[in-house]
Amino acid sequence: MKNSRKGWLRKRLKITLIFLSVLGLLLVGFATYTVRQSFPQESGTIQIPQLKAEVTVRRDKWGIPHIYAANSHDLFMAQGYIHAQDRFWQMDFWRHIGSGRLSEMFGSSQVDTDKYLRTMGWARVAQQEIQEINAEMKAYLEAYADGVNAYLREHQGSALSLEYTVLKFLNPGYQPEPWQILHSLTWGKVMAYDLGRNFQSEIERTILLKTLNPNQVEELFPPYPQDLPVILPEFQKKENTGTQRQGNTQSYLPASSSLLDSPDVLPALESITKPMMALEQLIGPTGIGIGSNSWVISGQRTAIGKPILANDPHLGVQIPSIWYEVGLHCTPKNAECPYNVSGFSFAGMIGVIIGHSDRIAWGVTNVQSDVMDLYIEKINPKNPNQYEVNGKWVDMQLVPETIQIAGSQPIVQTVRYTRHGPILSDVSPNLKQFQPSQSLELPQNYAVALRWTALEPSKLGYAVPQINRAQNWQEFRTAASNYDVPAQNLVYADIDGNIGYQMPGKFPIRAQGDGRYPVPGWTDEYEWQGYIDFEKLPKSFNPPQGYIATANNLVMREYPYLITADWVYGYRAQRIVEMISQQTQPISLKGVQRIQGDDRNLNAQTLVPLLQSITVDTPRLQAAQKLLQDWNLQLGMTSPVAALFEVFWKHLLADTFHDQLPEKYFPHGGDRWYAVVANLVKQPNSAWWDNRNTPKVENRDQILRQSFIEAVNELERIQSKDPNNWNWGKLHTITFRNATLGKSGVAPIEALFNRGAFATSGNGETVNANRWRANKSFEVTDIPSLRMIVDLGNLDNSVAIHTPGQSGHAFHRHYNDMVEPWRKIEYHQILWESKNVTENTTATLRLIPKLLE
């Protein structure tokens, strides 16, 4: 009886195991099918309506498409189709940001963000641009949209991307709408916001005035250092008169400071930061700290005898990559189809943003120009929709906005406009009414409006294809004149051996003030009086030093107009210039790669001698201090001393500043704080060193010693008692997170889309700029989102890498296959000549007109 019972149990267990195995295989099969059905068709033939002739798409081993078309229409239509194949979820998400329609996808959680975006009004500005667009540009954008929509007609739901499978559970009724020209144009607005937001600094300075005096605030925003480089040194005069604040060479106190002295104005300013931070969660860190490197070296300094151009834009960490690498080739190149270009595009936009053609190469870095001003408006107490202009009440423009919300009823928001722009303070539901101080002439009722160049029609859309087909410096500058928002530093090189620099953009000429603080809006005292004429903007062609290097730093010390008072402080620029100018041998492509991968910390150059001089009296502290001896100041991935110094830096900032600053404005540790501390260490008894929370008065050396001890304690606790086992890369990791579902808070969903953590080297101010934020964690927030090096002597020698990969499809082989080479400062060849592309093709796709079959 027992044996038969055991046999029955074994048989039952066997059947159960078989059932579970089959079920598991079915689930795996279903999951695999669901994941793989959205992968793009990379070979064979696809019929597309509206295509005029056959288009060939060759993909290389990195998944990079090289598109060959007989006419401009088909070239941009194919680009739209291929972008949709690989990145449609990303395109769909970003167009919803651009139009303030996130609630349609993700429900009521995004209503406040949508209100903020509708108040900004990017879609309204883009609609104005569509009305003004010329026939050629409109045809290009329509062709691109037709390509995207051709893909959408054949793919829906999970066939578009795995994200739509997950979204189905959250929002069952969601269906992507057709692509429109509008969606491409709002891309530029989102990027302008991503690279701008200098009004953050206006708000920060104003809020700091609540607890600090103006001189203390200025100490936290110090002048541009005299010993750090400018982009155009050939225009630098021997004497700096200090009449302009281009170099941040003097302290400027706020205009109309009485307006800002009242604590009652602060709630309005603080309220603006709330939706701003919510948007940052979606598109990554923006504005402050976002930078880039680019440089171009003439043939007189290179081993190839022709220019070498390098570029690495720094943007927030995300997956998929913000960049999409592509080659666009007219066959043949002619007047109707003048494009033969390769480089990096944005999925959602036509053309190549950064790259090279058969004649020229170009790169970009952010100027970080001050093109945003906050105006405090007087509101009529009897009519909230009127504001004062020169003593008279004027009607606001009222724009109703209907916000559709998945799973809820729509809501109507009224956006109020003054002559300066939208009233940003309306986006906060918690805005407190102003209570005027007795001694100040302040508005009884007020609002905060934003004037920003990106809220006026732009010509950026024209600039991209014009640059792509430019054949020389003159044509490049003509194209650059349309590159108005966001303002960029453009570096240039051509196959004839020329190098150049042009700053394009809209830069306001202010009647008064330098844009560093909010100003009264009820008179004309602080109005913009126009923009700097393009021909007067900084430029350089074949400068005598034989190179041009930009890293968001000061352009020139003497310039008659204000660009910004808040340049990046030039530490990355200093290292790039050192590595170029100190070369005794002609510079090779490998030498340029070494510059892009350099991890030398110039902050350590200032602080390590001081750390070596402090007295420590225990063997473990002495062992840690010994690591500093003979350190090359490189923040290597496995370096123990790099870990020690960066952890010390975090503690030094906390010990020096946390007792006097609001938590929201604790130091992030980037370039500005390098400059702040470099000034303070020359003042050993500055009040900043004193910790106000202790009865004694601390000085510089006491705080240095305290921070050093805290760093050693932390590393012993989290890594090892043995200093030789400390490791910077294990602390300083990068996790690529999907901007939407990868931040859902649901671990299994996040695991589907996110990749990491990966160890990295450097920090935000090394040339290899992997930024961490001292007020948050050691995790990397911003990175060199791509690296490109162009050989103008032989374009097929050019190399690049971006990260994490070409594909936007989770589990696709090209989803994150570029992470490892990117971490190691390795590159792939930018395939150029048709023969080279063909020899390295792994898949060929033919797009053919439907009428042919």
Side-chain angles (χ1 to χ4, degrees):
M1 187 74 176
K2 283 184 180 180
N3 287 339
S4 63
R5 186 176 177 82
K6 283 182 181 178
W8 178 83
L9 286 171
R10 275 197 300 269
K11 185 176 180 181
R12 188 65 182 265
L13 182 61
K14 186 176 181 181
I15 292 169
T16 303
L17 289 172
I18 291 171
F19 172 77
L20 290 173
S21 298
V22 170
L23 180 62
L25 288 171
L26 286 171
L27 288 171
V28 169
F30 175 74
T32 302
Y33 169 76
T34 301
V35 167
R36 294 187 63 84
Q37 70 168 324
S38 65
F39 290 1
Q41 180 181 336
E42 297 179 359
S43 57
T45 303
I46 298 175
Q47 296 180 348
I48 298 182
Q50 299 170 288
L51 207 61
K52 295 179 179 178
E54 182 174 321
V55 176
T56 301
V57 183
R58 302 187 185 279
R59 289 190 187 248
D60 62 26
K61 69 176 183 177
W62 294 103
I64 298 160
H66 306 264
I67 302 172
Y68 297 87
N71 58 77
S72 294
H73 171 275
D74 290 357
L75 188 70
F76 293 122
M77 187 174 183
Q79 186 180 19
Y81 189 89
I82 298 300
H83 276 167
Q85 273 193 321
D86 286 334
R87 297 284 188 88
F88 186 73
W89 171 266
Q90 183 184 42
M91 294 166 67
D92 198 13
F93 170 57
W94 278 80
R95 69 172 167 175
H96 279 78
I97 292 176
S99 293
R101 296 172 57 190
L102 291 165
S103 301
E104 294 177 22
M105 293 183 80
F106 305 108
S108 57
S109 65
Q110 296 303 316
V111 167
D112 286 346
T113 305
D114 277 349
K115 285 183 176 180
Y116 180 62
L117 292 168
R118 297 289 182 98
T119 301
M120 283 286 187
W122 298 333
R124 291 195 295 279
V125 180
Q127 289 287 8
Q128 294 175 38
E129 292 172 4
I130 293 172
Q131 304 305 314
E132 300 172 7
I133 212 163
N134 67 25
E136 179 190 68
M137 188 64 190
K138 191 170 186 179
Y140 288 168
L141 290 169
E142 284 176 342
Y144 182 90
D146 287 344
V148 176
N149 292 330
Y151 190 75
L152 290 183
R153 276 192 293 272
E154 303 298 327
H155 301 81
Q156 284 295 321
S158 57
L160 272 174
S161 198
L162 178 61
E163 286 93 336
Y164 290 101
T165 305
V166 178
L167 186 64
K168 195 81 173 170
F169 294 103
L170 305 173
N171 182 5
Y174 181 75
Q175 290 289 337
E177 65 182 283
W179 193 264
Q180 302 172 37
I181 291 177
L182 171 74
H183 302 142
S184 292
L185 294 181
T186 56
W187 235 117
K189 311 302 176 192
V190 180
M191 284 310 299
Y193 185 85
D194 198 27
L195 297 172
R197 277 179 48 204
N198 61 268
F199 70 89
Q200 273 181 291
S201 296
E202 285 188 48
I203 293 171
E204 180 178 352
R205 278 188 284 261
T206 304
I207 290 173
L208 289 178
L209 284 173
K210 183 178 180 180
T211 53
L212 303 175
N213 66 50
N215 287 322
Q216 288 175 310
V217 173
E218 289 299 308
E219 283 186 294
L220 300 182
F221 293 84
Y224 188 88
Q226 290 288 338
D227 58 345
L228 292 179
V230 298
I231 295 173
L232 303 181
E234 67 269 31
F235 296 112
Q236 187 169 333
K237 295 179 182 177
K238 291 181 181 178
E239 295 294 329
N240 183 4
T241 64
T243 57
Q244 299 296 323
R245 204 176 193 277
Q246 295 309 307
N248 247 2
T249 54
Q250 55 182 298
S251 292
Y252 270 52
L253 300 183
S256 291
S257 59
S258 63
L259 182 67
L260 308 174
D261 288 341
S262 169
D264 303 300
V265 80
L266 299 183
L269 297 176
E270 290 177 323
S271 73
I272 294 171
T273 67
K274 295 174 184 176
M276 202 161 65
M277 293 302 105
L279 183 57
E280 186 168 296
Q281 291 298 310
L282 295 173
I283 65 176
T286 60
I288 306 300
I290 298 294
S292 305
N293 303 319
S294 69
W295 61 92
V296 58
I297 308 171
S298 77
Q300 63 188 276
R301 285 180 171 270
T302 69
I304 60 175
K306 291 281 188 178
I308 297 174
L309 183 144
N311 194 192
D312 54 290
H314 309 155
L315 294 168
V317 175
Q318 54 195 282
I319 193 168
S321 169
I322 194 159
W323 300 104
Y324 186 89
E325 197 169 351
V326 66
L328 300 173
H329 308 283
C330 292
T331 53
K333 180 182 172 185
N334 55 37
E336 190 284 326
C337 194
Y339 301 102
N340 189 19
V341 61
S342 188
F344 294 87
S345 66
F346 290 136
M349 194 49 194
I350 64 168
V352 167
I353 309 296
I354 293 170
H356 73 80
S357 68
D358 51 343
R359 294 278 310 165
I360 74 168
W362 68 97
V364 307
T365 64
N366 191 15
V367 174
Q368 300 201 320
S369 50
D370 190 339
V371 293
M372 296 173 161
D373 280 354
L374 293 173
Y375 287 87
I376 297 177
E377 308 281 18
K378 280 186 183 179
I379 305 301
N380 187 345
K382 298 178 181 179
N383 183 349
N385 296 326
Q386 287 187 329
Y387 66 107
E388 184 178 320
V389 177
N390 297 320
K392 296 180 180 179
W393 295 121
V394 175
D395 290 336
M396 296 180 186
Q397 180 188 0
L398 304 179
V399 179
E401 291 279 356
T402 302
I403 299 175
Q404 303 291 337
I405 308 167
S408 300
Q409 292 298 310
I411 62 171
V412 177
Q413 171 198 13
T414 299
V415 179
R416 300 190 296 166
Y417 272 86
T418 72
R419 60 178 177 159
H420 299 119
I423 294 182
L424 278 195
S425 50
D426 278 353
V427 298
S428 171
N430 301 318
L431 181 60
K432 298 175 183 176
Q433 286 302 308
F434 179 74
Q435 299 297 323
S437 300
Q438 293 179 354
S439 61
L440 301 173
E441 295 181 10
L442 291 166
Q444 185 173 355
N445 295 279
Y446 75 98
V448 182
L450 171 70
R451 181 151 194 199
W452 176 26
T453 53
L455 300 185
E456 300 169 14
S458 160
K459 292 186 176 180
L460 175 64
Y462 292 94
V464 174
Q466 286 176 340
I467 289 174
N468 288 183
R469 66 187 186 227
Q471 297 293 288
N472 52 50
W473 172 242
Q474 289 73 25
E475 291 182 10
F476 178 78
R477 287 195 68 236
T478 299
S481 67
N482 287 321
Y483 208 123
D484 48 8
V485 178
Q488 298 288 290
N489 299 297
L490 299 181
V491 293
Y492 165 95
D494 62 38
I495 61 174
D496 295 327
N498 299 301
I499 66 171
Y501 165 89
Q502 176 69 57
M503 179 196 287
K506 284 182 177 176
F507 303 96
I509 300 171
R510 296 171 175 86
Q512 184 175 315
D514 62 0
R516 302 182 78 232
Y517 290 89
V519 293
W522 53 87
T523 72
D524 293 340
E525 196 177 355
Y526 296 93
E527 290 305 291
W528 292 5
Q529 298 181 312
Y531 297 113
I532 303 172
D533 182 78
F534 177 76
E535 290 302 325
K536 295 180 180 178
L537 290 174
K539 62 181 180 294
S540 178
F541 189 62
N542 292 330
Q545 67 269 23
Y547 65 88
I548 302 164
T550 86
N552 320 107
N553 54 313
L554 178 64
V555 178
M556 60 175 80
R557 295 202 185 269
E558 291 299 324
Y559 185 64
Y561 298 100
L562 178 77
I563 300 296
T564 182
D566 293 310
W567 300 96
V568 165
Y569 284 83
Y571 294 97
R572 284 179 284 110
Q574 174 72 14
R575 185 62 183 146
I576 293 165
V577 167
E578 283 177 0
M579 295 184 77
I580 294 173
S581 62
Q582 293 174 7
Q583 283 284 344
T584 56
Q585 298 295 319
I587 299 172
S588 65
L589 260 71
K590 288 289 184 186
V592 175
Q593 290 179 24
R594 282 193 291 274
I595 299 174
Q596 281 193 333
D598 185 69
D599 291 318
R600 186 176 175 88
N601 183 352
L602 297 186
N603 189 36
Q605 199 166 282
T606 301
L607 293 174
V608 163
L610 294 170
L611 280 178
Q612 288 176 310
S613 68
I614 63 173
T615 303
V616 290
D617 51 9
T618 66
R620 69 186 189 92
L621 293 175
Q622 290 165 352
Q625 192 179 41
K626 191 175 180 182
L627 290 176
L628 299 169
Q629 292 179 8
D630 303 318
W631 180 32
N632 62 6
L633 309 186
Q634 294 282 333
L635 300 178
M637 205 178 298
T638 60
S639 168
V641 65
L644 173 62
F645 184 82
E646 294 295 272
V647 176
F648 157 76
W649 177 236
K650 180 191 77 169
H651 285 287
L652 180 66
L653 292 170
D655 293 340
T656 307
F657 298 105
H658 284 195
D659 61 319
Q660 296 187 58
L661 299 181
E663 184 175 352
K664 186 185 293 184
Y665 297 115
F666 282 175
H668 51 70
D671 65 288
R672 174 159 67 91
W673 294 99
Y674 280 25
V676 169
V677 171
N679 290 336
L680 280 185
V681 294
K682 299 170 189 172
Q683 307 168 54
N685 297 308
S686 165
W688 286 107
W689 297 116
D690 177 37
N691 182 350
R692 295 184 179 185
N693 297 322
T694 66
K696 65 177 182 177
V697 177
E698 290 87 357
N699 61 22
R700 178 195 68 188
D701 292 348
Q702 289 169 321
I703 294 297
L704 288 173
R705 185 175 185 278
Q706 175 186 329
S707 302
F708 182 77
I709 293 170
E710 289 168 347
V712 173
N713 291 344
E714 180 173 350
L715 283 164
E716 286 184 345
R717 185 177 73 253
I718 64 177
Q719 286 201 342
S720 172
K721 296 289 185 185
D722 183 352
N724 294 307
N725 292 332
W726 296 341
N727 183 298
W728 176 227
K730 288 182 179 178
L731 273 181
H732 185 232
T733 62
I734 182 170
T735 298
F736 295 94
R737 290 184 176 85
N738 183 291
T740 51
L741 301 176
K743 299 175 182 177
S744 65
V746 181
I749 293 177
E750 291 186 357
L752 287 173
F753 299 107
N754 298 345
R755 298 294 181 270
F758 303 98
T760 61
S761 58
N763 72 9
E765 305 312 326
T766 54
V767 180
N768 178 30
N770 297 309
R771 183 176 302 278
W772 60 279
R773 309 225 167 194
N775 54 348
K776 294 185 178 176
S777 74
F778 295 109
E779 183 177 346
V780 178
T781 59
D782 321 296
I783 58 172
S785 55
L786 70 84
R787 299 187 186 99
M788 177 186 76
I789 303 171
V790 181
D791 179 341
L792 276 300
N794 181 350
L795 293 170
D796 264 313
N797 283 340
S798 306
V799 295
I801 197 73
H802 68 116
T803 196
Q806 274 287 103
S807 178
H809 298 287
F811 304 104
H812 191 279
R813 65 188 182 282
H814 296 310
Y815 188 58
N816 64 322
D817 58 335
M818 293 193 194
V819 173
E820 282 305 303
W822 172 86
R823 284 197 318 134
K824 297 173 183 175
I825 322 295
E826 296 173 353
Y827 301 76
H828 67 74
Q829 185 183 14
I830 302 176
L831 301 173
W832 177 245
E833 295 293 346
S834 178
K835 181 174 181 291
N836 197 11
V837 173
T838 302
E839 288 174 354
N840 289 279
T841 294
T842 59
T844 302
L845 178 67
R846 293 170 60 234
L847 305 178
I848 63 172
K850 206 157 192 177
L851 295 176
L852 293 183
E853 295 188 4

